[in-house]
Amino acid sequence: MILTLSCPDRPGIVARVSTLLFEHGANIVDAQQFDDGETGRFFMRVVFTPGPGGAEGVRPGLEALAADLAMDWTLRDPKARRRVMILASQTDHCLADLIWRWRQGELPMDISAVVSNHPEASFPHTDLKGIAFHHLPVSPETKADQEARLSELIDATGTDLVILARYMQILSEDMAGRLAGRCINIHHSFLPGFKGARPYHQAHARGVKVIGATAHFVTPDLDEGPIIEQDVERISHRDQPKDLVRKGRDIERRVLARAVRWVLEDRVLLNGRKTVVFTD
Amino acid sequence: MILTLSCPDRPGIVARVSTLLFEHGANIVDAQQFDDGETGRFFMRVVFTPGPGGAEGVRPGLEALAADLAMDWTLRDPKARRRVMILASQTDHCLADLIWRWRQGELPMDISAVVSNHPEASFPHTDLKGIAFHHLPVSPETKADQEARLSELIDATGTDLVILARYMQILSEDMAGRLAGRCINIHHSFLPGFKGARPYHQAHARGVKVIGATAHFVTPDLDEGPIIEQDVERISHRDQPKDLVRKGRDIERRVLARAVRWVLEDRVLLNGRKTVVFTD
Amino acid sequence: MILTLSCPDRPGIVARVSTLLFEHGANIVDAQQFDDGETGRFFMRVVFTPGPGGAEGVRPGLEALAADLAMDWTLRDPKARRRVMILASQTDHCLADLIWRWRQGELPMDISAVVSNHPEASFPHTDLKGIAFHHLPVSPETKADQEARLSELIDATGTDLVILARYMQILSEDMAGRLAGRCINIHHSFLPGFKGARPYHQAHARGVKVIGATAHFVTPDLDEGPIIEQDVERISHRDQPKDLVRKGRDIERRVLARAVRWVLEDRVLLNGRKTVVFTD
Amino acid sequence: MILTLSCPDRPGIVARVSTLLFEHGANIVDAQQFDDGETGRFFMRVVFTPGPGGAEGVRPGLEALAADLAMDWTLRDPKARRRVMILASQTDHCLADLIWRWRQGELPMDISAVVSNHPEASFPHTDLKGIAFHHLPVSPETKADQEARLSELIDATGTDLVILARYMQILSEDMAGRLAGRCINIHHSFLPGFKGARPYHQAHARGVKVIGATAHFVTPDLDEGPIIEQDVERISHRDQPKDLVRKGRDIERRVLARAVRWVLEDRVLLNGRKTVVFTD
């Protein structure tokens, strides 16, 4: 079982949580915590093997603790896989990579659906066998309608997490708000550098020597959501925008895959406009 | 206060430790743990602010716990700085860097002495002001004597930790054994590649595309001690051995500095021939 | 056109080569050179746009130059794609990645065949559409026969380059010799560390803090061939062998892909047991 | 000798340059070139050993070539070291590191002076032995005067290159213009992210997962000059601004040192608001 929690810091939190688990026969196999001295907020992630009575027995105790400590918490059986919807547009490198990793067993999730504003035939080389595909075309005129259908689909498929895998449509403020905390985007720049469109062309024009990619939670403020993961690669004056696009595909794939895996493993906790990431 | 502990894994360790701290009014501000599934050994590092009664009150409880759990533990006030002896030979880049970082306040330690088999005049550009310097020349004939004097000096200066900062003498098996767990060496290769002498020349001859450096605890087995930290840098066919030496100086300096800081902050626990490093 | 050459160093080589090209109306768009001071050998790669008379006109001049300078050289139209055979065993991450990059247009090659000692059904999620697949099972008894059939296939398919994409069979000395300079292997360790079998398990047992992968030309000496490219990733004490395998897949894929692309673009020249790599 | 040149691209440049050198008995030991397809500009760096007549004999030929090809060029004997002035304020890590590398022989330069708006006594641990130190205090009222004195000092000391080694004063537009192309600054962020003041605090507030530093030529547009080199380091949610400052010192030191070395070795050519860097 994976327990995550956050609350205002005060003495005794670890003692109370670990004693509660111990009293129910659980064995803690991993635990990480963080005390944000700036905001006075405490964050913790605990992985434990339940005792003979099972894990559910700890819930009432956690509820009591939560009430007492003003604590946000989640308790999840890692075997209960999250349902994940992947949205993509024309470029499929992030989509194909997520599906490949999922088939390899790297990403503990079920894919509730793949959704694109382009038809399934646009992805001839991505192995979509056994995955529900929905084509939701969009134009400026139909954007509101399309988002309404997308919302319905998210609900109907029991989707827990939405991944914008180079989905080249900007979500409306309303939609971004609805999905707050459960929608991850990959931006193809090292934020906060090169926000907005065509970041590789911006990077080439500015003459930077390193490019990057950023996986972040989507918020109504474009490119301003809490950052989950970033990575970079060196470039040189020889690299044309098309080379940056090629090198960037590799960075985007690994940054997004790491961010998704960490979220699926409950390693990412929101801390205002930032994240706490208990990496492995 | 910083508490580190390791013991055979069993349910309740975290609960007992954190409850003990809570009962003495302590507030845990950081904690990391690791459960080595392979060996069944549990490792933990806890940073806490003591309660009004001070930190010493927890010692008896920890002693009882240690007896019960077969637990190795240390409890240290970070303000009680360790006494560190630095050994160097002709090249002074690691020595100078450690002293510079110490003066910057990056390394929470007192320098008990700098020792070299070369005279102080060999280090005209290293700021040794206010630091005790000992010249202990050595030759194959005098090695046993020199090590005896070194041993006395370690004892006489109350040295807790010995750093071989590119000290180009191999410690005798006896000496290495005596210093087990409290002597750090920087090896100028990415171990286990290029053990032994002149690793940059070996790397050049083999045509590798990346070079590295390794900070490890010294053991009687040369270049086989538990690794604390490693880092690397890219090279190309253009790099001659002298370029590798130059690039290597940068890698060695940062790898050694990280390893030393982590050891000084009680972040490094021995796990057989490996280490557990609770990084920041 | 891409011209590569190497010869004993002497004054005037660049002048003679560039003048020859100029006299045939060619425009040099990229050139890199390297003078190995150690061996006295000179290496050069020139990309040029041919003049109105085409590129073939420079061949006689190059032949004369080669005779005079004892020069090895190749002249290739990048539009004449090399024919590449990919060999794989059970794990398909390198195979799938190469095919994906080829479909993306990252790898300028034709795939002459995919060959495995396992049947095509072992690769259900790799898109082999339109690619010839050959199942060549092998056992200790049939190894010589299997290699004979592989040799025939290499000849029959006009294969220029063979890629061992985690092909878990060791080529015989004879076969390795036959393919010298045109067979690339990906080894899942940071050579020369952890040669031989199960390098990730070796790395875990040694407790290193960084793992890597190495792409190299195959030679009869196992894991000793000229290194083309290496890369690494940080690991921690938390990483079990299975985590190293997962992280390693990412390193192997990008290291092999870079090495293959560089070879396909005539960027890799052999220099004894080392390589000169004119990177982009 | 090191020859650098840039001019509009056209066929025959390499042939003419290399033939000229050959005719004077020179042997090319290294050459790199770059053809900027976007702007149609050609860049080249050639290292050659002069013939028996010396290197000066090629100057008239180069002048003729320059007139014909509209070519900017420099020809420099690497033994004629550039005179470099280093400016620093309170933090001395970049200053101390440059001086240390210079004493190690890593930076082929003479130090014309160290200048600070703080007195020499502010740098007790930097080895300024044998280096001219000038204290030029500054306040908003005296800024114009101070810059005038600085200008005089640059001229009087025959300074070729000015390094702002964490000099915390913004040069006036006039001063920045005067030093165009021969003044390098180290900015403690990964530009274009976090321009302006206190970038590490900005980075902490934004919650990025990687921080960096940028060495660039100074231009009247603050933080917008041509970038020479950048590098980065990973951080985590645990890192407070003071930790970023500490980690940043390491990045700043190595980025600035690389940029300075490359400029001293004539590896950096200006290309509009970007640079061409012929790295080693």
Side-chain angles (χ1 to χ4, degrees):
Chain A
M1 299 297 290
I2 305 175
L3 169 67
T4 72
L5 59 91
S6 75
C7 59
D9 189 34
R10 52 183 272 188
I13 304 170
V14 180
R16 291 175 71 176
V17 171
S18 55
T19 299
L20 173 67
L21 293 176
F22 179 60
E23 285 169 358
H24 286 80
N27 189 26
I28 297 179
V29 294
D30 193 12
Q32 286 178 279
Q33 63 175 74
F34 171 62
D35 191 353
D36 187 342
E38 229 171 23
T39 61
R41 198 156 181 91
F42 173 89
F43 300 84
M44 193 174 190
R45 176 183 186 266
V46 183
V47 182
F48 64 91
T49 315
E56 293 308 308
V58 304
R59 280 196 193 269
L62 284 169
E63 271 155 24
L65 216 52
D68 194 27
L69 299 172
M71 181 172 99
D72 293 330
W73 63 285
T74 64
L75 178 66
R76 208 173 58 83
D77 184 345
K79 284 193 289 289
R81 293 165 157 247
R82 286 217 183 69
R83 293 183 62 73
V84 176
M85 179 182 286
I86 309 176
L87 274 66
S89 290
Q90 267 174 305
T91 57
D92 70 343
H93 56 283
C94 285
L95 171 66
D97 187 65
L98 289 173
I99 290 176
W100 179 84
R101 291 179 193 267
W102 168 68
R103 295 202 193 273
Q104 288 275 330
E106 286 189 16
L107 298 175
M109 63 185 186
D110 290 330
I111 298 182
S112 61
V114 168
V115 174
S116 177
N117 52 327
H118 295 272
E120 186 165 1
S122 312
F123 306 100
H125 303 301
T126 303
D127 179 4
L128 294 167
K129 265 193 297 287
I131 301 175
F133 183 94
H134 300 271
H135 177 207
L136 297 186
V138 65
S139 68
E141 294 73 35
T142 63
K143 186 177 175 99
D145 279 357
Q146 194 246 20
E147 286 201 345
R149 291 180 59 199
L150 181 58
S151 264
E152 285 166 27
L153 199 57
I154 290 170
D155 293 343
T157 53
T159 291
D160 299 300
L161 183 69
V162 174
I163 303 175
L164 308 186
R166 297 297 309 275
Y167 179 64
M168 304 306 281
Q169 300 295 317
I170 297 171
L171 298 189
S172 68
E173 198 171 318
D174 182 54
M175 188 73 183
R178 264 183 55 99
L179 295 176
R182 55 189 186 114
C183 179
I184 301 173
N185 183 48
I186 179 75
H187 183 74
H188 42 316
S189 91
F190 184 68
L191 290 174
F194 309 125
K195 295 176 194 176
R198 293 167 64 87
Y200 292 130
H201 290 77
Q202 293 183 53
H204 181 255
R206 179 62 185 91
V208 294
K209 301 301 183 186
V210 180
I211 56 168
T214 305
H216 62 91
F217 284 115
V218 170
T219 56
D221 262 350
L222 191 66
D223 298 336
E224 292 289 345
I227 292 171
I228 303 168
E229 170 65 345
Q230 300 186 292
D231 206 348
V232 300
E233 217 159 283
R234 291 188 76 84
I235 60 166
S236 85
H237 58 268
R238 291 177 185 272
D239 287 299
Q240 297 303 307
K242 74 173 165 40
D243 301 305
L244 304 193
V245 168
R246 170 174 52 78
K247 293 189 173 183
R249 279 197 295 260
D250 271 24
I251 315 174
E252 294 163 35
R253 295 196 294 170
R254 66 174 183 262
V255 166
L256 180 58
R258 269 187 224 140
V260 168
R261 192 165 58 80
W262 290 341
V263 168
L264 291 174
E265 295 176 356
D266 300 286
R267 295 179 179 281
V268 183
L269 281 71
L270 275 168
N271 182 18
R273 60 185 297 236
K274 304 202 280 188
T275 62
V276 171
V277 181
F278 293 122
T279 54
D280 50 354
Chain B
M1 299 297 289
I2 305 174
L3 169 67
T4 72
L5 59 91
S6 75
C7 61
D9 189 33
R10 51 184 272 188
I13 303 170
V14 180
R16 290 175 70 176
V17 171
S18 55
T19 300
L20 173 67
L21 293 176
F22 179 59
E23 286 169 358
H24 286 81
N27 188 27
I28 296 178
V29 294
D30 193 11
Q32 286 179 281
Q33 63 175 74
F34 171 62
D35 190 353
D36 187 341
E38 230 170 23
T39 62
R41 198 157 181 89
F42 173 90
F43 300 85
M44 193 174 190
R45 177 184 186 265
V46 183
V47 183
F48 63 91
T49 315
E56 293 308 307
V58 304
R59 280 195 193 270
L62 284 168
E63 270 156 25
L65 216 52
D68 194 26
L69 299 172
M71 182 172 99
D72 293 331
W73 62 285
T74 63
L75 178 65
R76 209 174 57 83
D77 183 344
K79 285 193 288 291
R81 291 164 158 250
R82 286 217 182 69
R83 292 183 63 73
V84 176
M85 179 183 287
I86 309 175
L87 274 64
S89 290
Q90 268 174 304
T91 58
D92 70 342
H93 56 283
C94 285
L95 171 65
D97 187 64
L98 288 174
I99 290 177
W100 179 84
R101 289 179 194 268
W102 169 70
R103 295 203 194 275
Q104 287 275 331
E106 285 189 18
L107 298 176
M109 63 185 186
D110 291 330
I111 299 182
S112 62
V114 169
V115 174
S116 178
N117 51 330
H118 295 274
E120 186 166 1
S122 312
F123 306 99
H125 303 303
T126 302
D127 179 4
L128 295 166
K129 264 192 299 284
I131 301 175
F133 183 94
H134 300 270
H135 177 206
L136 296 186
V138 66
S139 67
E141 295 72 35
T142 62
K143 187 177 174 100
D145 280 356
Q146 194 245 19
E147 285 200 346
R149 291 180 60 198
L150 181 58
S151 265
E152 285 167 27
L153 199 57
I154 289 170
D155 293 344
T157 53
T159 292
D160 299 300
L161 183 70
V162 173
I163 302 174
L164 308 186
R166 296 298 309 274
Y167 180 63
M168 304 306 280
Q169 301 295 317
I170 297 172
L171 298 188
S172 68
E173 197 171 317
D174 183 54
M175 189 74 184
R178 263 183 56 99
L179 295 177
R182 54 190 187 115
C183 180
I184 302 173
N185 182 48
I186 178 76
H187 184 74
H188 41 315
S189 91
F190 183 67
L191 289 174
F194 309 125
K195 295 176 193 174
R198 292 167 64 86
Y200 293 129
H201 290 77
Q202 293 183 53
H204 179 71
R206 179 62 185 92
V208 293
K209 301 300 185 187
V210 181
I211 57 168
T214 305
H216 62 91
F217 284 115
V218 170
T219 57
D221 262 351
L222 191 65
D223 298 336
E224 293 289 344
I227 293 171
I228 303 168
E229 170 65 345
Q230 301 186 293
D231 206 348
V232 299
E233 218 159 283
R234 291 188 76 83
I235 60 167
S236 84
H237 58 268
R238 291 177 185 272
D239 288 300
Q240 297 303 308
K242 74 174 165 41
D243 301 305
L244 303 193
V245 168
R246 170 173 52 77
K247 292 188 173 182
R249 278 197 296 260
D250 271 25
I251 316 175
E252 294 162 37
R253 296 196 292 170
R254 66 175 184 261
V255 166
L256 180 58
R258 269 186 223 140
V260 169
R261 191 164 59 79
W262 289 341
V263 168
L264 292 173
E265 295 177 355
D266 300 286
R267 296 180 179 280
V268 184
L269 280 70
L270 275 168
N271 182 18
R273 61 185 296 234
K274 304 201 280 187
T275 61
V276 171
V277 182
F278 292 122
T279 53
D280 51 351
Chain C
M1 299 298 288
I2 305 175
L3 169 67
T4 72
L5 59 92
S6 74
C7 60
D9 189 34
R10 51 183 272 187
I13 303 170
V14 180
R16 290 175 70 176
V17 171
S18 55
T19 300
L20 173 68
L21 293 176
F22 179 60
E23 286 169 358
H24 286 80
N27 188 27
I28 297 178
V29 294
D30 193 12
Q32 286 179 282
Q33 62 175 75
F34 171 63
D35 190 353
D36 187 342
E38 229 170 23
T39 62
R41 199 157 180 89
F42 173 89
F43 300 84
M44 194 174 189
R45 176 184 187 267
V46 183
V47 183
F48 64 91
T49 315
E56 292 309 306
V58 304
R59 281 195 192 268
L62 284 168
E63 270 155 26
L65 215 51
D68 194 26
L69 300 173
M71 181 173 100
D72 293 330
W73 61 286
T74 64
L75 178 66
R76 209 173 56 82
D77 183 345
K79 284 193 288 290
R81 291 162 159 250
R82 287 216 182 69
R83 293 183 62 73
V84 176
M85 179 183 287
I86 309 175
L87 273 65
S89 289
Q90 267 174 305
T91 57
D92 70 342
H93 56 283
C94 285
L95 171 65
D97 187 65
L98 289 173
I99 291 177
W100 180 84
R101 290 180 194 267
W102 169 70
R103 294 203 194 276
Q104 287 275 331
E106 285 189 17
L107 298 175
M109 63 185 186
D110 291 330
I111 299 182
S112 62
V114 168
V115 174
S116 177
N117 52 329
H118 295 273
E120 185 165 1
S122 311
F123 306 100
H125 303 302
T126 303
D127 179 5
L128 294 167
K129 265 193 297 285
I131 301 175
F133 183 95
H134 300 271
H135 177 206
L136 297 186
V138 66
S139 68
E141 294 72 36
T142 63
K143 187 178 175 99
D145 280 357
Q146 194 245 19
E147 285 200 345
R149 291 179 60 198
L150 181 59
S151 265
E152 284 167 28
L153 199 57
I154 290 170
D155 293 344
T157 54
T159 292
D160 300 300
L161 183 69
V162 174
I163 302 174
L164 308 187
R166 298 298 308 275
Y167 180 64
M168 304 306 281
Q169 301 295 318
I170 297 172
L171 298 188
S172 68
E173 197 171 317
D174 183 55
M175 189 75 183
R178 264 182 56 99
L179 295 177
R182 54 190 187 114
C183 180
I184 302 173
N185 183 47
I186 178 77
H187 184 74
H188 41 317
S189 91
F190 183 68
L191 289 174
F194 309 125
K195 294 176 194 175
R198 292 167 64 87
Y200 293 130
H201 290 77
Q202 293 183 53
H204 181 254
R206 179 63 185 90
V208 293
K209 301 300 185 188
V210 180
I211 57 168
T214 305
H216 62 91
F217 284 115
V218 170
T219 57
D221 262 350
L222 190 65
D223 299 336
E224 293 289 345
I227 293 171
I228 303 169
E229 169 65 345
Q230 300 186 292
D231 206 348
V232 300
E233 218 159 283
R234 290 188 76 83
I235 59 166
S236 85
H237 59 268
R238 292 177 184 272
D239 287 300
Q240 298 302 307
K242 73 173 166 42
D243 301 305
L244 303 192
V245 168
R246 170 173 52 77
K247 292 189 173 181
R249 278 197 295 260
D250 271 24
I251 316 175
E252 294 162 37
R253 295 196 292 171
R254 67 174 183 261
V255 166
L256 180 58
R258 268 185 224 142
V260 169
R261 192 164 59 79
W262 291 340
V263 169
L264 292 174
E265 295 176 355
D266 300 286
R267 296 180 179 280
V268 183
L269 280 70
L270 274 167
N271 183 17
R273 61 185 299 234
K274 304 201 279 186
T275 61
V276 171
V277 182
F278 293 121
T279 53
D280 50 352
Chain D
M1 299 297 289
I2 305 175
L3 169 67
T4 72
L5 60 91
S6 75
C7 60
D9 189 34
R10 51 184 271 187
I13 303 171
V14 180
R16 291 174 71 175
V17 171
S18 55
T19 300
L20 173 68
L21 292 176
F22 179 60
E23 285 169 357
H24 286 81
N27 188 25
I28 297 178
V29 294
D30 193 11
Q32 285 179 280
Q33 63 175 74
F34 171 62
D35 190 353
D36 187 341
E38 229 171 24
T39 61
R41 198 157 180 90
F42 173 89
F43 300 84
M44 192 173 190
R45 176 184 186 267
V46 182
V47 183
F48 63 91
T49 315
E56 293 308 306
V58 304
R59 281 196 191 270
L62 283 169
E63 271 155 25
L65 216 52
D68 194 27
L69 299 173
M71 182 172 98
D72 294 330
W73 61 286
T74 65
L75 178 66
R76 209 173 56 83
D77 184 345
K79 284 194 287 291
R81 292 163 160 251
R82 287 218 182 69
R83 294 182 62 73
V84 176
M85 178 183 287
I86 309 175
L87 274 65
S89 290
Q90 268 174 304
T91 57
D92 71 343
H93 57 283
C94 285
L95 171 66
D97 187 65
L98 289 173
I99 290 176
W100 180 84
R101 290 179 194 267
W102 169 68
R103 294 203 194 275
Q104 288 275 330
E106 285 189 17
L107 298 176
M109 64 185 186
D110 292 329
I111 298 182
S112 61
V114 168
V115 174
S116 177
N117 51 328
H118 295 272
E120 186 166 0
S122 312
F123 306 99
H125 303 302
T126 303
D127 179 5
L128 295 167
K129 264 192 299 287
I131 301 174
F133 183 95
H134 300 271
H135 176 206
L136 296 186
V138 65
S139 68
E141 293 73 35
T142 63
K143 186 177 175 100
D145 279 356
Q146 195 245 19
E147 286 200 345
R149 291 180 58 198
L150 181 58
S151 264
E152 284 167 27
L153 198 57
I154 289 170
D155 293 344
T157 53
T159 292
D160 299 301
L161 183 69
V162 173
I163 303 174
L164 308 187
R166 297 297 309 275
Y167 180 64
M168 304 307 280
Q169 300 295 318
I170 297 172
L171 298 188
S172 68
E173 197 171 318
D174 183 54
M175 189 73 184
R178 262 183 56 99
L179 296 176
R182 55 189 186 116
C183 180
I184 302 173
N185 182 49
I186 178 75
H187 184 74
H188 42 315
S189 91
F190 183 68
L191 289 174
F194 309 124
K195 295 176 193 174
R198 292 166 66 84
Y200 293 129
H201 289 77
Q202 292 183 53
H204 178 72
R206 180 62 184 91
V208 293
K209 301 301 184 187
V210 180
I211 57 168
T214 304
H216 62 91
F217 285 115
V218 170
T219 56
D221 262 350
L222 190 65
D223 299 336
E224 292 289 345
I227 293 170
I228 303 168
E229 170 64 344
Q230 299 186 293
D231 206 348
V232 299
E233 218 158 283
R234 291 189 75 84
I235 59 166
S236 84
H237 58 268
R238 291 177 185 271
D239 287 300
Q240 298 302 308
K242 74 173 165 38
D243 301 304
L244 303 193
V245 168
R246 170 174 52 77
K247 292 189 173 182
R249 278 196 296 260
D250 271 25
I251 315 174
E252 294 162 37
R253 295 196 295 170
R254 66 175 184 260
V255 166
L256 180 58
R258 268 187 223 139
V260 169
R261 191 165 59 79
W262 289 341
V263 169
L264 292 174
E265 295 176 355
D266 301 286
R267 296 179 179 280
V268 183
L269 280 71
L270 274 169
N271 183 17
R273 61 186 296 237
K274 304 201 279 188
T275 62
V276 172
V277 182
F278 292 121
T279 54
D280 50 352

